[in-house]
Amino acid sequence: MTSRRQMLKSAVLGGGASVVAATALGSLGAEAACGATAPQAEPGAPDPDFAEGRIRSIKDNVLLVMGSNLVFHNIRVVDGTSLWKLGPVGFDQAKPGDGLYARGVRMPDGVLAAESVWLNIVNIKGHVQNITSEKIHLDHNGKEVLCHVVPGRSVAIHSDSPPSTDLSLLRVGQHVQILGAWRPDTNEVDIATVFSPH
């Protein structure tokens, strides 16, 4: 059986022919990004099939990204690439200034053909300082992060309960974990999921 990686590589080498939709190949959601760095590299060596950084420019279907280590990456987005920005999005939602994590297949020319790209994803833990129907003020390691509730998108998972759009069970002082999308160059985040232990 052909793997997703083999299909992606053959599509890129074949000149960008259409590939099976990302969802049919097991598109990765936001929660998967937290464990998205399953390296195949030698211990201590950078994973060649992973890149992170901020988008400097976009040309055609290639993102020019400067990594936090000041190394540039060219990341090609193809028909089978799964993109996330608070939820599944199209390529037109990628903007210069966005932070990203990308996983894919490193091509012979050094370009990373992306299987999955997570734009502005954050996964932070902290204590609720204040809460309204529209915002959660989170104390994250002594710094305030303003977390915005996005109607129709933000959900809370309390203990082992199924996801709910009702965030009213959250309390001031409670320890939570928030998965969401950072608003670049701010201390603000749009909430995808709030996890609370009870």
Side-chain angles (χ1 to χ4, degrees), residues 34-53:
C34 303
T37 57
Q40 298 174 335
E42 293 294 321
D47 180 358
D49 295 330
F50 177 79
E52 58 77 33

Side-chain angles (χ1 to χ4, degrees), residues 2 10 23 38 95 169:
T2 304
S10 64
T23 50
K95 308 290 183 198
L169 294 177

